[in-house]
Amino acid sequence: DISKSIHARPSAGNASRWALPCKVKNTDGEAMNNLVNKIIIFATITIFFLSGCGTSTLASPASNPTTTLTFTSVPTSTPIFTPTPTFTPTPIPVSIKDAIANGTFSEIKTFGKGFVIQSIFSPDGSQYIAVTSHGIYVYDAKNWQEVKYIPIPTEAAISEIDISSDGHIFATGDIAGNVTFWNTKTWDILHSVNVYKGQITRLKISPDGINFVAVGDNKVISVWDLHNGTLINLQESKGKVGSINYSADGQWILNSEESPYGYLKIRKASNLEIINSLNGFRENFDMNYPNYPTYPNYAVSPFTNLVVLLDDGKLVIQNLDNEKILAVLPTEYSWWSEITHWVFLDKSQLVVKGDRSDFFYLVNLQTLDLRKISADELSVIAGGNPRAFILTKEREIQEIGFEPIMRYTPELITPNGKNLILKDWSYDSMMGIRNIGSMELQQENSMVKPLQIGEGNVTYFTMKNENLIVIKCGRGKGLLNISEIGLNDMHVISEAQFRYDVNDIIETVALSSDGSLLATGTADGTLSLWNTSSKTQIASFQAHKMIPQRSTADYQAISSIIFSPDGSSFATRGVDKTIKVWNIKDGKEITSISTKDDYKTFMTFSPNSKYLAYASENSIHIKALYENTPEIVLNGDKPKYYFYSLRFSSDGSMLASGYGGRLKIWSITNQSLLADIPELGEGIDAVAFNPDDTLLYVASQDGIVSIWGHIPK
C-alpha cells in the first residue's frame, strides 16, 4: 500500500534505513560520478512516474521522503484509463400533437388478437384456424405455436369460413363478395372467385371437395366449381337465408329461411331446385310478435342423412331420405334458447351446447336417447376427438390470447400510467358488468388480470391513490357494495355494503374525485347526494323525467352521472334527451342541454372543469359552463355512425373520439381535425390518454386494445 509506506517522515537518525539500495566506492571518484548520475536518472524516472500515474493523495516529490517501492508491474509513461460506459440517452417523450404534426403518429403496439369471428379445427385436429377482423391466425394445435398470420385488409374482411373434409383446402368468404381458397400446408392462395357484389354471408364446401355453395347478402344462393371457379347455378331466396349445409352424401343442400315458423328448405345440390320444405319447427313462437322472423336452429350430420332441429326446447331427429321423424327428445332448453354448438362426434353421437347453459347434451343417434353431461364428462368421452376440440380445447384457445381481452374496453388509466383498467361488457346488459380487469402497460405481451366481482351490476369505478374503487348495485332497493381493490394482485382490500334510503331502484352512481361525495340516480329521476363518511343525505331533487320503455313495462330516467375533475359540479344524462350540469354547493342547475338522442349521448368534462363535451348523433359539442359563448361544434362525416367515446387530453388541448370504426383527434384551440384514422376494427368503444399526452389507448369492438403515439420515421 503506497499510502501506508510513505505515511511517516523518517528521522535523521534512521535515514540509512531509507537509503537507496546502491553500492558506493568512496575511493574511486569516477565510480562516485557514475553513481551520482544513476541516482539522478532514477530519481527523474521516479518523479515522472509519480506525476503521471499518481493520485491526489500523494505529496509532491520534493516534500516526500525517499522510499523503497516494490512494483508488481513495470510502470509505463502512458496512463491507463478505465473505459467509460457508453451512455444511451433516454428519449424525450413526443406529445401526440407534435407526432401528428411531424407525421410520426402511428400504432405502436396492440394487446390481444381480436374478437374471433369464426374458428375451426382441421379434420385431423392438427391445426386451429381463427379469423378476426384483422386477419387469419393459424396454430399448431399440438404445441399451440403460431404457424402463420395472414393480415387481411379492412375492405376485404372475412365474414365466412369452411374447410374441406380432407383438410387440404381452407375457404374464406369476405365482405367484398370474394371466396378465396388456401392451401393448408403452405398457406398460399390457390385461387379466388368473385361470386357476389356484396358480403358473403354463408359458405360451404361439398363433401367430395369438388363444388362449393355461397350465399350473398343473406339472399342469393349460388353453386360453383371449386377448382375452376365456374358458376353452376344460382337462385334467389324469398326470405333471408340463415345457415346452409350439404347432406352427408352431397346430394342435397339444406338452408334455413327467415319466417315466423322457421322454414328449412331442401334443395338439389346440382341445380338448387327445392324438393321439400320442412316447417313448423318453431310452432310455439312468441305470440306477442307473430311477424317476428326466426331461423330454425338445426344441424346436418356429416356421416348419415340425418337432420336434428331444436323445436320449442325439444330436439327433433329426422331422416332426410324418407322425411321420417325418428325421435322428439325433451330438453331443459326454453323456447327462446339457441344451441351454439352442434358437434357430431361420429355417426352415432351428437353433442349440443345451449347458449344459456353450462352443461352439454350427449345424443345417441342409434338408440335415440340423450343424457346431460358436464364438461369433465365431455373431456373423458370426446377429449381426443378432433371434432370436439372446439369445445374441449377452450382453455388452450384462451391462453393463446383470444380470451379474455376480447370482451374488455378501457375505462381509465391509473395516475402513475402503469395500469389500464378495463371493463367487461360480455354479459347481457340487463345483468350489468360482471368483470373488470387490469393490464400492465409497461410489460411486453401483457394480458388482462381479471377480477370476478360476484353478484350485482357494476355501475361505476374510479381510482383512490393506487387502488381501484368499484361500486355495484345490489338486488335490493338502495343497496350498494363498495370495494377497494389493490392493482398489484387484483385482490379486494376492503368491501362494505351500504343501504341508502331512496324511493326507487338505483340505476346509476358516481363518486367525486376525492371520494367524499356519492351521487345516486334512481329510476324515477331522483338524484341524491350523499356524504360517504357519514352516509347522510346532503341533497335530493328531481333531475330528469321518468320515461316508460316501449319494449318492457319498466321505466328509466337517468342513464349516467359524471363529476367534474375539480369536484365543483356534476353532469347527468337523462333518457328524456337532456344533459344537465349541477353545482355541488347549492344543488342549482348550471345549464341544461337538449340533445337529439338519449342513450347514444356521451359526455366528458375538460380537465379544468370549465367545459363539457358531449356527442349527439354525428357531431361533438363543447359547451362553456361559466361563459356566455357559443358552443363549439365538431362535425363527423355522415350520420352513418355515432360517436361512442369521448376523452379530453390531460392538458385539455385535444379531444379524441371514437366515431364508428374511426379514430378522430381534434384540436380544441383552433377547432380543427388533427387526425382521422379510418376503419379501426369493428368500431371504437373507448379512448384514453396517458397522463403526459404522449400515448393514446384505443379499444375497438373486435377486442383489440391498441396504443398510438410517436414512431420515428
Side-chain angles (χ1 to χ4, degrees):
D1 190 326
I2 296 177
S3 62
K4 289 182 179 179
S5 66
I6 62 174
H7 180 69
R9 181 182 293 275
S11 61
N14 59 8
S16 60
R17 195 158 58 87
W18 293 85
L20 292 173
C22 300
K23 293 182 180 180
V24 181
K25 295 182 180 180
N26 295 328
T27 58
D28 193 337
E30 182 178 353
M32 180 62 70
N33 290 335
N34 290 336
L35 178 60
V36 170
N37 291 335
K38 289 179 179 180
I39 292 172
I40 292 172
I41 293 171
F42 184 82
T44 302
I45 293 173
T46 302
I47 292 170
F48 178 80
F49 172 77
L50 292 175
S51 63
C53 299
T55 66
S56 60
T57 59
L58 298 177
S60 64
S63 61
N64 283 335
T66 305
T67 60
T68 301
L69 304 177
T70 302
F71 298 101
T72 57
S73 60
V74 179
T76 175
S77 59
T78 303
I80 301 175
F81 297 98
T82 302
T84 302
T86 303
F87 174 71
T88 303
T90 302
I92 299 174
V94 177
S95 69
I96 291 174
K97 191 181 298 183
D98 290 341
I100 293 173
N102 297 330
T104 59
F105 182 69
S106 184
E107 185 180 79
I108 298 174
K109 66 184 300 184
T110 60
F111 293 98
K113 292 179 169 61
F115 186 88
V116 178
I117 299 170
Q118 291 191 45
S119 65
I120 197 170
F121 280 88
S122 59
D124 63 359
S126 63
Q127 288 186 324
Y128 171 69
I129 308 162
V131 173
T132 72
S133 61
H134 287 243
I136 304 171
Y137 290 88
V138 183
Y139 285 85
D140 184 324
K142 293 182 179 179
N143 55 27
W144 291 99
Q145 296 298 311
E146 186 177 308
V147 175
K148 187 78 174 180
Y149 170 66
I150 305 171
I152 302 296
T154 306
E155 61 272 13
I158 295 172
S159 53
E160 277 293 306
I161 64 171
D162 194 26
I163 194 166
S164 60
S165 57
D166 60 8
H168 295 163
I169 298 174
F170 178 68
T172 62
D174 61 38
I175 61 175
N178 302 306
V179 175
T180 304
F181 299 97
W182 310 75
N183 183 320
T184 57
K185 290 185 178 180
T186 63
W187 285 100
D188 295 325
I189 294 178
L190 297 174
H191 64 95
S192 185
V193 184
N194 184 262
V195 303
Y196 187 75
K197 301 300 181 183
Q199 180 174 335
I200 302 298
T201 52
R202 294 291 183 265
L203 176 65
K204 218 64 173 173
I205 298 174
S206 63
D208 57 11
I210 296 176
N211 299 330
F212 72 92
V213 59
V215 180
D217 281 338
N218 296 305
K219 58 183 180 181
V220 178
I221 306 173
S222 55
V223 178
W224 302 73
D225 186 297
L226 186 150
H227 298 283
N228 60 28
T230 57
L231 176 66
I232 296 174
N233 217 315
L234 180 147
Q235 293 287 337
E236 185 167 352
S237 176
K238 293 181 179 179
K240 290 185 177 180
V241 176
S243 58
I244 195 162
N245 287 278
Y246 276 94
S247 61
D249 58 10
Q251 294 184 53
W252 303 306
I253 291 175
L254 292 83
N255 73 273
S256 58
E257 186 175 293
E258 182 184 61
S259 72
Y261 297 95
Y263 290 110
L264 184 62
K265 303 289 186 181
I266 302 177
R267 303 170 182 267
K268 287 184 179 180
S270 57
N271 58 12
L272 296 176
E273 177 189 350
I274 297 175
I275 60 172
N276 199 359
S277 180
L278 307 178
N279 58 58
F281 292 102
R282 200 61 181 277
E283 293 176 357
N284 296 325
F285 62 91
D286 191 349
M287 297 302 297
N288 294 320
Y289 300 95
N291 296 320
Y292 185 78
T294 62
Y295 296 104
N297 197 205
Y298 77 103
V300 179
S301 170
F303 303 103
T304 58
N305 281 352
L306 291 181
V307 59
V308 185
L309 301 99
L310 179 65
D311 173 24
D312 193 19
K314 297 182 287 291
L315 292 178
V316 180
I317 303 174
Q318 186 164 353
N319 190 318
L320 288 173
D321 293 322
N322 56 23
E323 304 177 16
K324 181 180 179 181
I325 294 178
L326 303 178
V328 178
L329 306 176
T331 71
E332 294 181 13
Y333 299 144
S334 303
W335 69 266
W336 61 82
S337 296
E338 293 291 341
I339 292 179
T340 54
H341 290 94
W342 301 83
V343 178
F344 288 88
L345 301 179
D346 49 46
K347 65 180 181 180
S348 63
Q349 295 185 101
L350 167 67
V351 175
V352 296
K353 172 69 167 63
D355 59 349
R356 299 173 187 268
S357 63
D358 57 359
F359 58 86
F360 305 87
Y361 278 112
L362 179 64
V363 183
N364 190 315
L365 298 173
Q366 291 181 339
T367 62
L368 299 176
D369 61 2
L370 84 166
R371 64 186 179 95
K372 191 165 64 173
I373 61 173
S374 66
D376 292 337
E377 289 177 291
L378 176 64
S379 297
V380 174
I381 295 170
N385 191 325
R387 291 184 170 274
F389 281 178
I390 202 70
L391 296 174
T392 59
K393 301 289 185 180
E394 285 185 339
R395 180 177 59 83
E396 289 86 346
I397 295 172
Q398 291 175 359
E399 289 177 352
I400 59 176
F402 293 111
E403 286 268 5
I405 195 173
M406 58 176 269
R407 302 188 304 253
Y408 289 93
T409 57
E411 179 69 9
L412 58 88
I413 299 173
T414 57
N416 58 17
K418 292 183 178 179
N419 294 84
L420 183 66
I421 307 301
L422 307 103
K423 59 189 176 186
D424 179 359
W425 285 106
S426 63
Y427 289 88
D428 191 288
S429 59
M430 296 295 291
M431 302 299 293
I433 308 168
R434 287 297 186 87
N435 294 319
I436 54 176
S438 172
M439 180 186 291
E440 296 182 21
L441 297 175
Q442 300 172 1
Q443 177 181 331
E444 288 293 326
N445 302 318
S446 178
M447 296 297 293
V448 174
K449 295 179 182 178
L451 175 71
Q452 300 292 334
I453 53 179
E455 293 296 327
N457 298 352
V458 174
T459 55
Y460 190 79
F461 46 96
T462 186
M463 294 297 299
K464 178 183 177 183
N465 299 324
E466 297 300 316
N467 297 328
L468 182 68
I469 304 297
V470 177
I471 304 176
K472 53 184 177 176
C473 294
R475 296 185 181 278
K477 185 186 297 185
L479 187 64
L480 295 179
N481 294 278
I482 302 178
S483 304
E484 184 173 356
I485 300 165
L487 291 178
N488 290 332
D489 53 4
M490 293 299 284
H491 73 286
V492 177
I493 298 173
S494 64
E495 191 168 24
Q497 188 177 89
F498 304 100
R499 186 175 294 279
Y500 292 86
D501 185 14
V502 293
N503 296 324
D504 211 329
I505 296 174
I506 294 178
E507 286 187 310
T508 183
V509 301
L511 195 68
S512 61
S513 57
D514 61 1
S516 63
L517 292 177
L518 175 73
T520 63
T522 53
D524 62 358
T526 302
L527 189 135
S528 302
L529 285 178
W530 308 83
N531 183 300
T532 55
S533 299
S534 63
K535 309 298 182 298
T536 56
Q537 189 179 84
I538 299 173
S540 181
F541 51 89
Q542 187 76 20
H544 292 274
K545 295 178 181 178
M546 185 173 63
I547 306 295
Q549 301 301 297
R550 283 177 291 180
S551 58
T552 65
D554 297 331
Y555 50 88
Q556 289 181 304
I558 303 174
S559 53
S560 66
I561 307 171
I562 59 170
F563 277 91
S564 64
D566 64 0
S568 64
S569 61
F570 62 94
T572 58
R573 187 181 75 207
V575 184
D576 58 2
K577 298 184 180 181
T578 62
I579 293 176
K580 297 182 180 181
V581 183
W582 311 85
N583 191 314
I584 286 180
K585 289 184 178 180
D586 54 17
K588 291 183 178 180
E589 183 180 298
I590 297 174
T591 187
S592 179
I593 305 167
S594 296
T595 65
K596 296 180 180 179
D597 39 29
D598 45 17
Y599 66 96
K600 292 180 180 177
T601 301
F602 291 81
M603 57 184 184
T604 183
F605 278 101
S606 63
N608 62 9
S609 304
K610 294 182 179 180
Y611 299 91
L612 181 76
Y614 66 94
S616 182
E617 289 189 335
N618 67 324
S619 299
I620 297 174
H621 302 253
I622 302 176
K623 173 77 172 178
L625 301 177
Y626 305 102
E627 299 175 3
N628 188 19
T629 56
E631 280 189 349
I632 297 174
V633 180
L634 308 173
N635 290 314
D637 298 330
K638 299 176 182 178
K640 179 182 179 182
Y641 296 113
Y642 289 87
F643 287 96
Y644 285 102
S645 54
L646 292 176
R647 192 66 63 94
F648 277 98
S649 59
S650 300
D651 64 3
S653 66
M654 293 179 291
L655 184 74
S657 64
Y659 178 67
R662 308 183 75 160
L663 171 65
K664 291 176 178 282
I665 303 176
W666 310 80
S667 169
I668 305 302
T669 307
N670 54 21
Q671 305 173 28
S672 62
L673 182 62
L674 298 176
D676 184 0
I677 302 170
E679 304 303 333
L680 280 182
E682 295 296 313
I684 297 173
D685 270 345
V687 290
F689 288 89
N690 73 333
D692 63 0
D693 294 333
T694 58
L695 298 174
L696 181 66
Y697 301 87
V698 182
S700 56
Q701 294 173 8
D702 59 7
I704 297 288
V705 178
S706 59
I707 301 180
W708 290 73
H710 165 73
I711 292 183
K713 291 183 179 179

